[in-house]
Amino acid sequence: MGLTKQYLRYVASAVFGLIGSQKGNIVFVTLRGEKGRYVAVPACEHVFIWDLRKGEKILILQGLKHEVTCLCPSPDGLHLAVGYEDGSIRIFSLLSGEGNVTFNGHKAAITSLKYDQLGGRLASGSKDTDIIIWDVINESGLYRLKGHKDAITQALFLREKNLLVTSGKDTMVKWWDLDTQHCFKTMVGHRTEVWGLVLVSEEKRLITGASDSELRAWDISYLQEIEDPEEPEPKKIKESSPGIQDSHEAEDGTLEMDETPEDRILTCRKAGSIMREGRDRVVNLAVDKTGRILACHGTDSVLEVFCILSKEEIQKKMDKKMKKAKKKAKLNSCNEEEEDLEVNVKMTLQDEIQRVANIKTSAKIKSFDLIHTPQAELKAVFLLQNNLVELYSLNASTRPQPVRTNRITIGGHRSDVRTLSFSSDNIAILSAAADSIKIWNRSTLQCIRTMACEYALCSFFVPGDRQVVIGTKTGKLQLYDLASGNLLETIDAHDGALWSLSLSPDQRGFVTGGADKSVKFWDFELVKDENSTQKRLSVKQTRTLQLDEEVLCVSYSPNQKLLAVSLLDCTVKIFYVDTLKFFLSLYGHKLPVICMDISYDGALIATGSADRNVKIWGLDFGDCHKSLFAHDDSVMYLRFVPKSHLFFTAGKDRKIKQWDADKFEHIQTLEGHHQEIWCLAVSPSGDYVVSSSHDKSLRLWERTREPLILEEEKEMQREAEYEESVAKEDQPAVPGETQGDNYFTGKKTIETVKAAERIMEAIELYREETAKLREHKAICKAAGKEVPLPINPILMAYGNISPSAYVLEIFKGIKSSELEESLLVLPFSYVPDILRLFNEFIQQGSDIELLCRCLFFLLRIHFGQITSNQMLVPVIEKLKETTISKVNQVRDVIGFNMAGLDYLKRECEAKSEVMFFADATSHLEEKKRKRKKREKLILTVT
């Protein structure tokens, strides 16, 4: 048996050239105790933390596979919640950069994340129309809220009350009572999608942004504030169909809800509208932490900033208005006495919410975040559409013009990278886009040179790596010097786009192909520089080959005898270089050949086309060796690995694939890009591959020493497909619940299935070991002496623990966020054993909280089967006794500890005479209120 051909595996090494992705939002984060200096931005599947002052990337929060869609920092500033496109949420520690907590509950991309005031709960909204409330401390889901009919756009907790308000693309704003987990009010006063909402004025006003140029304001009145001392007469409620709420049309044409019993929690009445300058929809609507500054933007590059005035400021403004109105009335009615004048000045919404300024950014805004500095300065950070982060400062009190203080630009291009090249020493990488060329250091991934250019389509390093040549969309050749970063020369090479460049193997010249149906040959030469006495590099045209169709790609054979030219008529023509005579025509593609390359020995040519196929041809006779269906979309780039017959292809299907041109086999797929891949480059050593994509990222792939066996690779691919299919399967049915009404917060994933399998294996082992122990006792009794019992190797690995203790260890090892879903997958046949073991564990008094959580969940989902099983009645009775007594013990311990902590708190306060706990300010305010009341009483008495 002959040896199988070994390949070496390529793995993802780094993501660079990206400042921020467009799908997620930018947020300020607190790092090293500093606020307003660091921002977190989504970067494909990762999150980058940027230092705005230095313009440097200081931390990367590593993602797995799916793109980041939402970010939310915790109130304490120590954690960052990250939502992904697959519906998962991870919570990262900003101190260590690790994401230890994962929540899986949504079926589609996360669109909204919001912490409550203390940071103990997290509300997540998704495109699957559900809202889930997560317990961050216990790392588990609390409940799922269903009611919206389209994607959730925003969710906000109220500070003082246990309520949640959400908005969605279904034009609805819903109020949820989190004590009862139901929607008690639906606001239907919007004609179009509600894209954002904020609470201002001590949560007594709600401002919403929709698809028009209005910001609608709603006054909120809570029950305690509108309730009279005497019990009001109950209102008669109109009879209506169940589930249908009556509504009427207001004067302004918007719909408002009739007063219903739900209004007993709060009432919401429209206060008016603020007109935005932008005519398009609201993209983002936000308020700073002080609740004083409101900002919003549409699909353009302008952020509109408003100031919400305090009661004192409004009163001053109204007093001024009153004075002016009195003056005007006095002038108008000179004959009447002043005492008879009655002036009515109405307060409008524009008096309460005042426009401050407009911040105009350099490109379209994708997201923004606000922060108020201690110097009473407003900082606004923007993530722009063109891969750029900008920071603006604005002093809202003095109302000057906003000032741009920082911007992060060096780390990436403003548009998609269309061409990549490696230097001959594998150290430098060239990337060129519509406006600039950047040179990157491969080892540090730092940008070492940026040069302005026209729209670049192709490029290469000149031999010696001191100059680069760029081919542009306007048909020009641009020659740059890397040491100075200067443009040495611009030559009008073609009348149309210059699609392709190919360096000659003797390194004395190159060939270009353009849209003007011509192929031109160029030689390097040294010419006298006008600005100095030294000579500089230049190029001169030597020959021209005129063709019948547009040229899309050109490539030299390694021996420089043949030239391959790809034409718009879907063929590849082979010419002799010396005489330019026609040699071969390679036809078979149904759409034009976009890319091609010739192997190092000149034996093979591989062509990639927009018809999604790659064809491998022999250059001796022009016969097609094999046609491979390579990608699910157009093949955009193809390159052979030097000194081999292996080649890489990149497609619009976001994948890079490696192929063997001898055996016609697919070796491996490199997945990572989230949009179409435009180009790639293979280093001269073959150790590195760099690729660029429409997601603005550049990715570096590195060849490892790990051998790749094709059979194993295919097996791994099948396993990955199986895992995906498991995740897509229907959720397990729960007795008593109809299909589609799943209110559990979890989601069936491969992790939960594996966790359930581990529990089943542990129970099986427990049954086997228990049966062995019984048999062993019987043998010992029959023999009349002790016979050594063989120890199970699994139990030995855990330190010779008992089988029941092993089951407990397995339960402890399951992630808190996956526990319920793992138990939901578990078959009922294992539940009786688990209940008996739980009784034993609870009696021992270990892990009461975990055991009670599992026990109550199993009783809830298997209630019918457990109650109908006579064998389990004594077990349940015992569980009832032990659980109540042990839970009471735990409660007593916690109560004692709480009392002890309260005592220590009082002792500390008495010693330092400083109230450093959270309720200190409320105590102070209460004292002030009491003092004022006392003073008023004294005044009235006197």
Side-chain angles (χ1 to χ4, degrees), residues 192-196 208-216 274-285 296-304 306 355 358 360-361 363-366 385:
T192 54
E193 298 98 330
V194 183
W195 290 100
T208 58
S211 294
D212 50 23
S213 56
E214 276 185 64
L215 292 180
R216 292 170 177 81
I274 307 160
M275 297 307 293
R276 294 166 48 237
E277 287 183 4
R279 294 286 164 215
D280 47 4
R281 74 173 179 90
V282 172
V283 175
N284 283 307
L285 179 67
C296 66
H297 73 91
T299 54
D300 54 7
S301 59
V302 177
L303 181 80
E304 298 178 47
F306 301 89
R355 186 182 292 275
N358 285 356
K360 174 91 169 121
T361 57
K364 285 184 180 178
I365 302 168
K366 277 297 174 185
Q385 193 181 27

Side-chain angles (χ1 to χ4, degrees), residues 501-689:
L501 291 167
S502 180
L503 183 66
S504 62
D506 64 4
Q507 299 190 341
R508 291 182 180 179
F510 59 94
V511 64
T512 62
D516 58 355
K517 304 180 183 180
S518 66
V519 174
K520 295 186 179 181
F521 294 81
W522 307 81
D523 280 346
F524 294 116
E525 64 173 357
L526 290 171
V527 297
K528 192 173 180 181
D529 194 354
E530 296 171 2
N531 301 325
S532 67
T533 55
Q534 293 180 343
K535 289 186 176 182
R536 65 167 179 82
L537 188 75
S538 181
V539 293
K540 66 172 182 180
Q541 186 185 341
T542 55
R543 292 183 294 171
T544 302
L545 173 64
Q546 203 64 37
L547 295 158
D548 299 330
E549 294 285 341
E550 274 191 37
V551 177
L552 297 178
C553 191
V554 291
S555 183
Y556 269 116
S557 66
N559 57 10
Q560 209 170 326
K561 286 186 177 178
L562 301 173
L563 177 71
V565 181
S566 160
L567 301 175
L568 201 60
D569 63 359
C570 310
T571 63
V572 177
K573 300 274 196 296
I574 313 291
F575 296 91
Y576 290 106
V577 173
D578 49 1
T579 60
L580 297 184
K581 283 186 178 178
F582 174 74
F583 172 49
L584 291 169
S585 179
L586 311 177
Y587 55 91
H589 283 289
K590 293 174 185 174
L591 291 169
V593 173
I594 299 169
C595 52
M596 63 182 176
D597 198 17
I598 298 174
S599 64
Y600 75 102
D601 54 3
L604 301 172
I605 179 171
T607 57
S609 166
D611 63 6
R612 302 177 289 176
N613 290 311
V614 167
K615 291 183 186 288
I616 300 163
W617 317 76
L619 263 182
D620 43 6
F621 302 110
D623 56 324
C624 181
H625 292 184
K626 188 73 175 176
S627 181
L628 304 165
F629 182 74
H631 290 270
D632 296 328
D633 209 331
S634 303
V635 182
M636 296 303 294
Y637 224 81
L638 185 150
R639 276 289 172 269
F640 271 98
V641 176
K643 302 287 185 287
S644 76
H645 280 186
L646 308 178
F647 64 92
F648 283 97
T649 59
K652 275 190 176 179
D653 60 354
R654 311 172 186 186
K655 293 175 184 174
I656 297 168
K657 294 185 179 181
Q658 190 185 15
W659 306 84
D660 187 342
D662 291 330
K663 294 191 170 184
F664 317 122
E665 282 190 299
H666 172 223
I667 300 166
Q668 73 173 125
T669 303
L670 304 177
E671 290 185 277
H673 283 292
H674 299 282
Q675 298 288 338
E676 304 96 319
I677 300 170
W678 297 129
C679 61
L680 61 82
V682 181
S683 68
S685 64
D687 287 337
Y688 301 96
V689 176

